[in-house]
Amino acid sequence: MSDKGLRPETLAAHALKPVDAATGAVTPPLYLATTYARDADYRPKLRENYVRSGNPTLWQAEEAIAALERGRAALLFPSGMAALTTVFETVPQGGHVVAPDVMYYGTRAWLKRLERLGRIRLTLFDAATPGALEAALRPGETDVVWIETPLNPTWDVIDIAAAASAAHAAGAILAVDATATAAVTTQPLSLGADIVFHSATKYLNGHSDVLAGALVTATEDARWAELQLLRTKSQAPLAPFDCYLLMRGLRTLFLRYRQASANALALARHFEMHPKLERVLYPGLASHRGHAVAARQMRDGFGGMMSLLVRGGFADAQRLCTSLRVIVPATSLGGVESLAEHRKAVEGPESPVPDNLVRLSIGIEHVDDLAADLEQALCVL
Ligand code: PLP
């Protein structure tokens, strides 16, 4: 049966294909070969004959992710950073890039590095100020508008459709880091974005055991051809075993994401008025400044990511993390296990992130255990 018309839950559960055509296997086959024989006419039996150019396990994972995002094609890279830095490689020398000032700190640091080297011109905008993105654009000069939504770690929400039309009117493309929404609640391409990026290390895999990055495109244009070339020649595709693990994780994406979202919403509501907290930042709360856009843009849950602003400073935020017993004090996000991180300690003194911010990646545990753990850790402050 073709995947046309199937719902995303079904596509994900089958990692796109319910059975392997050659063997009838119901789980995706793992092809580890680095090289593939040619046929009697000396043509590759498959599309490619060398692993760096592609292989059947990679293609199945890429096609599954492209189908989930309703895109034309996907490319998997050995890390999220490898994928996103390759997008910026396609910006012409001296080209203009627009991005939010608060976002995943690795992306911001990379863009600032490219600006320092004279490789790009960069304008960072405040996503919380209406009209700031539009004001940052330079019509005819801006090449890429890079946004993240919700934004890590304030979970501010950017209106993708509005950003896409502003970017297009200026002659730029819109690329969206959708790591925190993972093809479940938001499909940026259907809202007008040109490229969607995922750190597939997070929700798409969901088990904290694969490092991977994904790009999905709305059109197979000249930039996409350049991305394919760069991925093959200067980067590398995700290795077959990691593709296999990624597909294993992908098959439960919807269950995991919905459980994490339900847990996060319950915790956000429960702790919103806690006397030891200044604020809970979660787009599912009516008090969050991004809530109205999130409610429109995020179809089915607000995700598992939230931040707590503790009453106190740097040391109190860190003490909260180290006092947790169920939630693990560790970096990263999107796994089945809940994690807490004191972002300022990780990002360094230059970071715009408040000293008292603790980022939580809520997992799929029983919500009462998570609530009790947070409660006891807040009591220590
Ligand atoms: N984008 C976001 C929002 C992230 O959270 C991360 C990693 O934490 C990345 C990009 C980079 O991805 P990776 O760690 O897979 O290289």
Side-chain angles (χ1 to χ4, degrees):
M1 185 177 169
S2 110
D3 64 309
K4 296 267 179 306
L6 292 179
R7 288 168 181 79
E9 290 85 339
T10 310
L11 297 175
H14 292 173
L16 193 61
K17 295 177 190 154
V19 291
D20 173 40
T23 63
V26 300
T27 59
L30 169 56
Y31 295 95
L32 289 170
T34 55
T35 187
Y36 291 82
R38 292 174 180 269
D39 65 13
D41 300 320
Y42 212 67
R43 283 193 297 255
K45 288 191 177 188
L46 295 166
R47 268 185 274 162
E48 300 288 352
N49 70 335
Y50 187 55
V51 66
R52 176 146 43 77
S53 305
N55 65 84
T57 310
L58 174 77
W59 292 328
Q60 182 165 351
E62 289 179 339
E63 285 163 21
I65 290 170
L68 281 178
E69 286 289 2
R70 300 276 184 237
R72 294 280 306 162
L75 286 171
L76 279 167
F77 291 74
S79 75
M81 284 307 291
L84 71 87
T85 56
T86 306
V87 172
F88 298 124
E89 275 297 288
T90 67
V91 176
Q93 173 61 34
H96 183 232
V97 175
V98 167
D101 55 3
V102 174
M103 60 174 160
Y104 172 60
Y105 80 127
T107 314
R108 188 180 54 236
W110 191 261
L111 286 171
K112 286 192 164 174
R113 174 182 176 274
L114 294 180
E115 183 189 35
R116 252 193 336 271
L117 294 172
R119 173 68 184 79
I120 62 165
R121 286 169 300 145
L122 178 65
T123 305
L124 299 178
F125 66 93
D126 173 9
T129 304
L133 186 155
E134 290 76 3
L137 290 165
R138 295 185 198 162
E141 290 178 41
T142 307
D143 185 55
V144 172
V145 177
W146 179 275
I147 61 168
E148 196 178 301
T149 185
L151 281 164
N152 192 351
T154 56
W155 314 111
D156 272 319
V157 182
I158 297 180
D159 185 328
I160 296 172
S165 42
H168 294 159
I173 65 153
L174 178 72
V176 180
D177 181 339
T179 298
T181 59
V184 180
T185 62
T186 315
Q187 285 174 324
L189 298 182
S190 38
L191 297 170
D194 302 281
I195 291 179
V196 176
F197 160 81
H198 288 282
S199 165
T201 315
K202 319 297 183 196
Y203 285 104
L204 287 178
N205 175 57
H207 293 78
S208 307
D209 54 8
V210 170
L211 182 68
L215 298 177
V216 188
T217 187
T219 48
E220 294 186 84
D221 54 9
R223 193 188 299 263
W224 189 250
E226 177 79 352
L227 285 166
Q228 282 175 309
L229 178 83
L230 290 168
R231 203 276 303 265
T232 308
K233 301 298 181 195
S234 79
Q235 290 281 347
L238 187 63
F241 189 63
D242 286 343
C243 291
Y244 172 84
L245 281 177
L246 176 57
M247 282 190 278
R248 189 184 172 113
L250 200 61
R251 298 175 77 181
T252 55
L253 172 65
F254 284 82
L255 285 176
R256 289 186 283 101
Y257 195 85
R258 285 177 181 152
Q259 186 61 50
S261 294
N263 282 355
L265 183 61
L267 292 171
R269 285 182 175 152
H270 181 82
F271 286 97
E272 193 179 9
M273 297 298 165
H274 196 283
K276 295 282 179 72
L277 295 175
E278 257 170 35
R279 295 269 312 273
V280 174
L281 304 177
Y282 183 65
L285 289 176
S287 61
H288 191 275
R289 62 187 173 198
H291 180 67
V293 179
R296 178 157 36 87
Q297 187 166 275
M298 299 176 83
R299 229 176 335 103
D300 188 17
F302 297 95
M305 298 306 301
M306 71 170 76
S307 295
L308 309 178
L309 297 179
V310 303
R311 282 197 197 283
F314 189 95
D316 303 280
Q318 215 160 76
R319 194 166 328 113
L320 175 65
C321 295
T322 53
S323 305
L324 291 162
R325 293 177 192 144
V326 175
I327 301 173
V328 184
T331 196
S332 202
L333 60 101
V336 290
E337 63 288 307
S338 295
L339 305 177
E341 193 177 41
H342 180 217
R343 288 302 296 179
K344 195 58 172 267
V346 172
E347 296 190 18
E350 302 297 312
S351 164
V353 169
D355 283 5
N356 63 340
L357 183 145
V358 172
R359 187 183 79 178
L360 297 177
S361 170
I362 298 300
I364 64 167
E365 303 94 334
H366 197 292
V367 68
D368 293 349
D369 290 336
L370 299 177
D373 193 30
L374 281 169
E375 194 66 64
Q376 67 77 24
L378 285 166
C379 276
V380 175
L381 301 186

